[in-house]
Amino acid sequence: MVNRQLLKTGERKKLINIAITTGSYSGFIDDLIMLGKSKVSSYVCVANVHMCIEAVDDPQFANVVNNADLVTPDGIPIAKSMKLLYGIHQDRVAGMDLLPDLLRQCEQRELKVFFYGGTDALKSATEKYIANHYPELNVAGFHTPPFRTLTSEEERTVVQHINDSEANFIFVVLGCPKQEKWMANMKGRISACMVGIGGALPVMVGQQKRAPKWMQTNGLEWLFRLIQEPKRLLKRYAYTNTKFIYLLAREKLKRDKTSVG
């Protein structure tokens, strides 16, 4: 069990249906390193609009996110919502920044990392990227599971394999909500800090492009991704973005009425 008094990040603040951890970017890095070094079974959700709306539509998934040890404000809309609802100037803690920074810290501190998920092509690209950019990083292992539910025996084998690797961090690349559900299922079974990094890994290793800096700072990364993959993302973004704006506005009006009353 993680001792909250040892964490540098702040209290959790409710955003629609999930509780976002507040704090500085450096505080999140420090807390993650502490979790990894301690090897306490823990998991971290990197929250964006998609995750927030998934939690609205699926109360069981909301419990998965809210039971995480840390829930980082990934997207600009999540970070800005903390200002809108609570007056908090919240740093954005994006998975695409968090992953390379954590790998650099792990290399410097001689902490072991393990990658779970993705494809064989992503595994090969990751190995090449790490060899070039983090040559001293101790990669404890990779596992690319099949695109189906594992049997109980296969699951036990995976848990044993990961624990035998003595990894400090497990970077989970299954996509939302699958990776969050997997981590919640593995809490108490895998002795490491699990971080759901989703699409951050393919971007880091060059399989996908990241939005220009000006789009990042203005909360337009979703538009950049939409332009890249319109067929896959148009319907999802039309639904999640619209519903998020509506629910956030409703929450803001509710709070304003309460404060006036």
Side-chain angles (χ1 to χ4, degrees):
M1 191 74 176
V2 176
N3 185 346
R4 291 292 311 171
Q5 293 181 338
L6 298 178
L7 299 180
K8 293 185 179 180
T9 45
E11 62 181 316
R12 302 273 279 265
K13 294 291 187 181
K14 185 180 179 183
L15 174 60
I16 301 174
N17 211 32
I18 60 176
I20 304 294
T21 309
T22 59
S24 67
Y25 183 84
S26 61
F28 277 97
I29 293 289
D30 289 343
D31 284 353
L32 278 158
I33 293 301
M34 186 274 291
L35 291 173
K37 287 178 69 176
S38 68
K39 298 193 70 176
V40 172
S41 187
S42 55
Y43 69 96
V44 177
C45 295
V46 181
N48 56 16
V49 169
H50 176 212
M51 185 180 294
C52 187
I53 299 305
E54 284 280 352
V56 171
D57 294 342
D58 181 357
Q60 289 186 329
F61 180 64
N63 288 334
V64 165
V65 177
N66 290 328
N67 285 328
D69 297 277
L70 295 173
V71 181
T72 83
D74 180 357
I76 285 287
I78 302 297
K80 293 295 186 183
S81 295
M82 294 294 100
K83 172 65 175 176
L84 183 67
L85 297 179
Y86 300 103
I88 296 172
H89 294 278
Q90 175 58 51
D91 287 349
R92 181 187 181 190
V93 187
M96 292 181 189
D97 299 318
L98 202 58
L99 178 58
D101 287 345
L102 277 177
L103 292 178
R104 190 173 301 110
Q105 288 285 331
C106 288
E107 183 181 42
Q108 294 172 359
R109 297 168 183 266
E110 300 182 349
L111 300 178
K112 297 181 179 181
V113 303
F114 192 106
F115 294 88
Y116 182 87
T119 62
D120 289 335
L122 180 58
K123 174 180 178 291
S124 297
T126 302
E127 289 174 324
K128 291 177 183 177
Y129 185 89
I130 287 175
N132 290 328
H133 294 83
Y134 305 97
E136 302 301 318
L137 180 65
N138 190 336
V139 178
F142 290 86
H143 186 78
T144 54
F147 290 97
R148 59 170 173 79
T149 303
L150 299 182
T151 67
S152 297
E153 183 59 35
E154 287 174 328
E155 199 173 79
R156 284 193 293 269
T157 300
V158 167
V159 170
Q160 188 66 49
H161 175 51
I162 293 174
N163 284 332
D164 286 347
S165 76
E166 298 184 341
N168 299 91
F169 284 98
I170 316 300
F171 293 112
V172 188
V173 197
L174 298 175
C176 176
K178 188 176 179 180
Q179 66 194 15
E180 288 74 29
K181 292 178 180 179
W182 184 86
M183 293 188 297
N185 184 44
M186 292 297 160
K187 184 168 183 179
R189 302 169 68 187
I190 288 178
S191 301
C193 178
M194 298 169 278
V195 186
I197 57 172
L201 184 59
V203 171
M204 186 186 78
V205 303
Q207 283 192 337
Q208 297 175 9
K209 292 182 179 179
R210 188 177 186 185
K213 193 69 176 178
W214 70 269
M215 294 186 86
Q216 295 176 37
T217 55
N218 288 285
L220 294 173
E221 280 187 284
W222 66 270
L223 180 59
F224 184 81
R225 290 194 292 271
L226 177 60
I227 293 169
Q228 289 184 306
E229 300 181 83
K231 289 183 179 179
R232 185 175 75 86
L233 296 176
L234 180 58
K235 186 176 180 180
R236 188 181 99 181
Y237 282 165
Y239 173 70
T240 59
N241 290 9
T242 302
K243 190 166 186 176
F244 179 81
I245 292 169
Y246 165 73
L247 292 173
L248 180 62
R250 190 176 71 175
E251 180 65 21
K252 173 62 175 172
L253 287 172
K254 180 181 176 182
R255 287 178 175 274
D256 287 348
K257 287 181 180 178
T258 302
S259 63
V260 171

